[in-house]
Amino acid sequence: MKKKLMIVLSVFLLLTGIGLTVYGVTKGGFKDVKNKAIRICNECIGIG
């Protein structure tokens, strides 16, 4: 019973994560994250 519950919970969390990722990408969140990552990298290595 406990193993079955863990499998169901794992599948639920996986599907929730995939759903939220797709939602974020469709709302343009990828561009924001990419731009922030580029700024952080540029500041860290001293280019920007």
Side-chain angles (χ1 to χ4, degrees):
M1 182 70 177
K2 188 174 182 179
K3 189 172 184 175
K4 184 176 180 180
L5 179 65
M6 291 299 291
I7 291 172
V8 170
L9 182 62
S10 297
V11 170
F12 173 75
L13 290 175
L14 177 66
L15 293 176
T16 302
I18 290 171
L20 290 173
T21 301
V22 169
Y23 176 76
V25 169
T26 58
K27 293 294 182 181
F30 175 74
K31 294 175 189 173
D32 294 334
V33 172
K34 184 183 78 165
N35 289 337
K36 288 177 185 178
I38 289 171
R39 273 188 257 128
I40 289 171
C41 284
N42 288 339
E43 289 175 10
C44 185
I45 60 175
I47 291 176

